[in-house]
Amino acid sequence: MAEQLKDLADDRALLGRTSTAERVSDILRSRIAEGYFPPGTRLSEDSIGGALGVSRNTLREAFRLLTHERLLVHELNRGVFVRVLTVEDVEDIYRTRRLVECAVVRGLGEPPYGLDGLAGAVAEGRAAAREGDWKGVGTANIHFHRELVALAASERTAELMRSVFAELRLAFHVVDEPQRLHEPYIARNVAILEALQGGDREKSESLLAGYLDDSLERVVEVYRRRVGEDG
């Protein structure tokens, strides 16, 4: 925890003069997504507030915001913890992803599409794979799907999926098999990108739906075993 708090103190500069609960929650959300605070970790108000240089009230409001996003959970007389998802949570996350992401592709309209963000995420994933950085591949994969959602040009959809993708990272941290989890999807991201570059929405949606179904099966298989082992 000491190392995580030292890194967190480095984030204090991001708050600037107008530190707010929203900015604190942005920092903590990123740190949770990166695995600095793994699922099940108790978050100390004193330690985190001291590292970021914010008041107890500001930190508690940030905790409340992240609890609303289902990233944290408050346990009576115990404190605030990074949430540990259930298998049912994971299944619901993928159900939401399928509904939203496939609908985005289906509703794209006529090509050409603005695919620079998707192409950049593919390149990011390939570069991380060449370095053997499989967690980096996982991050690039999240970026790919975030850019896919961004094609809808809807702030509300992007905000919804930001929370969904943050929850998804909680599951990935428990699975903790990044190469097995993410490597197969590098080529599948390329296939989706190429279908969109060719203006074939129907093929893109079919590839995406199959991708999400296979990913759900793989994640749940390992997740169920890991949660069972921990329990």
Side-chain angles (χ1 to χ4, degrees):
M1 179 63 75
E3 183 179 348
Q4 289 94 325
L5 290 173
K6 179 181 179 300
D7 289 335
L8 196 62
D10 293 338
D11 288 332
R12 185 185 299 194
L14 299 177
L15 296 174
R17 290 187 173 183
T18 56
S19 55
T20 63
E22 287 82 4
R23 289 183 180 178
V24 173
S25 67
D26 285 344
I27 288 170
L28 293 179
R29 186 187 302 106
S30 295
R31 290 298 185 174
I32 290 168
E34 293 163 4
Y36 281 86
F37 301 117
T41 301
R42 181 180 180 276
L43 301 184
S44 165
E45 286 185 3
D46 291 339
S47 297
I48 293 175
L52 289 175
V54 297
S55 70
R56 187 181 296 267
N57 286 340
T58 295
L59 187 60
R60 285 179 175 174
E61 176 63 12
F63 283 172
R64 188 192 68 79
L65 292 170
L66 294 176
T67 299
H68 181 69
E69 294 180 21
R70 296 177 296 276
L71 297 180
L72 302 180
V73 61
H74 181 268
E75 297 186 12
L76 189 63
N77 299 323
R78 294 193 64 216
V80 176
F81 295 79
V82 180
R83 189 163 170 236
V84 178
L85 302 179
T86 65
V87 171
E88 290 75 19
D89 289 327
V90 176
E91 291 172 337
D92 192 42
I93 287 168
Y94 272 89
R95 188 179 304 116
T96 302
R97 292 185 67 192
R98 205 179 194 283
L99 284 170
V100 174
E101 294 186 49
C102 289
V104 167
V105 172
R106 195 180 314 125
L108 279 179
E110 294 303 314
Y113 312 119
L115 302 175
D116 289 348
L118 279 181
V122 165
E124 178 188 352
R126 284 171 157 171
R130 286 194 296 270
E131 297 293 325
D133 178 9
W134 300 109
K135 289 190 176 182
V137 172
T139 297
N141 195 32
I142 293 290
H143 291 168
F144 179 88
H145 290 275
R146 191 172 64 195
E147 293 292 342
L148 184 72
V149 169
L151 295 175
S154 164
E155 290 184 10
R156 292 172 179 81
T157 303
E159 183 176 353
L160 165 68
M161 294 307 292
R162 181 188 69 172
S163 296
V164 170
F165 291 140
E167 280 193 271
L168 182 63
R169 295 296 289 266
L170 293 181
F172 288 169
H173 291 317
V174 171
V175 170
D176 197 26
E177 292 185 358
Q179 181 172 359
R180 180 173 182 264
L181 189 64
H182 302 303
E183 185 176 21
Y185 300 103
I186 297 174
R188 297 178 80 160
N189 285 347
V190 172
I192 292 169
L193 174 62
E194 290 178 345
L196 287 172
Q197 287 171 333
D200 193 336
R201 285 177 298 163
E202 186 174 340
K203 180 179 179 181
S204 301
E205 183 182 353
S206 177
L207 289 170
L208 178 60
Y211 174 123
L212 292 173
D213 289 345
D214 291 345
S215 181
L216 170 61
E217 183 178 354
R218 183 180 296 261
V219 171
V220 166
E221 173 195 353
V222 182
Y223 196 85
R224 181 177 281 114
R225 186 168 67 247
R226 288 295 172 88
V227 172
E229 287 174 357
D230 292 343

